[in-house]
Amino acid sequence: MTKETKIHLCSIADDTDLRSLQVRIGDKDLKTPTKAIATNSFYKDTSFPKELCDLQELFLKFDEESLVKKDQDIKFSSEKNRQLKREKEKANSCPYFCLLEFKNKGENWRYPTEKEIDILTNVAYSHSDITPIPSVPKAARNLNVENFDAFIEYLDSCYNSIEIRNKKCIMGYIPAVATLFGRELINYYLDKGINAYYVDFDSSMITTHLDVLNAMKRELTKRGYEENHLFHFVNVSYGKSINDQKVLSARDILGFGYGLDSLGGIHSGPKRNPEFYEKLKAMKDISRNTKRLLNLEDYGYYRFDSVKDNLESIYPADALISIDELRAYPKSIWITMNGNLW
């Protein structure tokens, strides 16, 4: 049976679920709340500040064909391993885990076979300080009362595969599900000694799942784990805002008030009609919109060109990036107005 993730509560808000934890990931300590970095989106020569490397999220997607290649093709497998190694090096050896997604080809969905599960869990274990159970979004989108037992059987198969040879904690997988299933999954994982979870919102907004999140928190409280658990959110949608707007709401940061401990990346494809993207293409200016500043007074991401004329009056003296560097930097960057790089 896997060991529980060691979690220590540092502080908690009185009126929200915002809190700070100290979490042991492998042989390293993580302080929350935090945002996991995804180095696969970094420019080639990016040098990311070591003091901002709290947690790293790696990601790989497989179907039945690529799983066979990962298992049987040394060239393909070695290149995937080298890719992950390069990404880890960019994150200055901070705690990391590798999220895996299985999507079979074709319209019909299925769970991975026992052999495919062994390949998936082997990759996840090999490239993680804490081993996440692989996600199956096509199956998760079709969960109902009649087939939920099959999903539990899949989780059992993953758990048993990892436990064949396991010296790490396990991170549970919770898809965007109905409230009943959220409660069931929390109890399932706690029964197996798993108190760290990643919640896959599958390109939906946090606010559409508040009842599920609260139900899971209630279940954790009943079991004595109210503050002895970790929630990592992935594939969170920020809504349909056209990013040409002067100010964008920092919905990613506001999510921490809903029980989020660490925020991961967006790996699932968007679900919007073609007309929206045509409108987006016509309205957005990439070079103008990718450089923004976060104002912690109103939690808005301000387009740089809208504040640059009075930047000296609002820019903090202790910012990690100087004003001159910011103005000269040609690539995309988000930075807060209180001195912390985002």
Side-chain angles (χ1 to χ4, degrees), residues 211-222:
D211 55 342
V212 184
L213 293 172
N214 188 56
M216 292 193 293
K217 288 276 188 178
R218 286 169 58 87
E219 215 61 33
L220 286 160
T221 301
K222 291 178 186 177

Side-chain angles (χ1 to χ4, degrees), residues 103-122:
K103 278 188 178 180
N104 62 288
K105 292 189 173 183
E107 293 298 321
N108 296 326
W109 60 271
R110 69 170 178 84
Y111 290 102
T113 64
E114 182 179 351
K115 182 177 181 180
E116 289 170 336
I117 287 173
D118 282 341
I119 300 170
L120 288 164
T121 57
N122 182 53

Side-chain angles (χ1 to χ4, degrees), residues 106-145:
E107 293 298 321
N108 296 326
W109 60 271
R110 69 170 178 84
Y111 290 102
T113 64
E114 182 179 351
K115 182 177 181 180
E116 289 170 336
I117 287 173
D118 282 341
I119 300 170
L120 288 164
T121 57
N122 182 53
V123 174
Y125 183 91
S126 300
H127 297 285
S128 301
D129 287 326
I130 179 172
T131 308
I133 291 179
S135 69
V136 284
K138 291 178 79 171
R141 290 169 194 152
N142 292 279
L143 284 181
N144 55 46
V145 174

Side-chain angles (χ1 to χ4, degrees), residues 7-23 30-33 217 226-229 256 260-261:
I7 298 172
H8 173 71
L9 178 65
C10 298
S11 59
I12 188 169
D14 294 329
D15 53 349
T16 70
D17 282 324
L18 184 64
R19 63 182 184 171
S20 177
L21 304 174
Q22 182 172 310
V23 184
L30 165 69
K31 186 74 173 291
T32 73
K217 288 276 188 178
E226 182 175 12
E227 308 303 343
N228 185 22
H229 68 273
F256 289 101
L260 166 64
D261 297 307

Side-chain angles (χ1 to χ4, degrees), residues 60-81 100 102 113-124 126-127 161:
L60 291 175
K61 181 185 296 186
F62 290 101
D63 57 28
E64 50 267 59
E65 293 180 4
S66 56
L67 274 181
V68 170
K69 292 178 69 176
K70 185 70 178 76
D71 194 44
Q72 300 179 11
D73 186 332
I74 184 62
K75 184 177 180 180
F76 179 86
S77 180
S78 296
E79 177 51 39
K80 289 291 183 184
N81 292 336
L100 296 186
F102 175 78
T113 64
E114 182 179 351
K115 182 177 181 180
E116 289 170 336
I117 287 173
D118 282 341
I119 300 170
L120 288 164
T121 57
N122 182 53
V123 174
S126 300
H127 297 285
S161 179

Side-chain angles (χ1 to χ4, degrees), residues 78-95:
S78 296
E79 177 51 39
K80 289 291 183 184
N81 292 336
R82 283 194 293 269
Q83 171 194 334
L84 295 176
K85 181 176 182 293
R86 290 192 296 267
E87 291 186 30
K88 293 174 195 174
E89 289 172 348
K90 294 177 183 177
N92 297 297
S93 300
C94 71

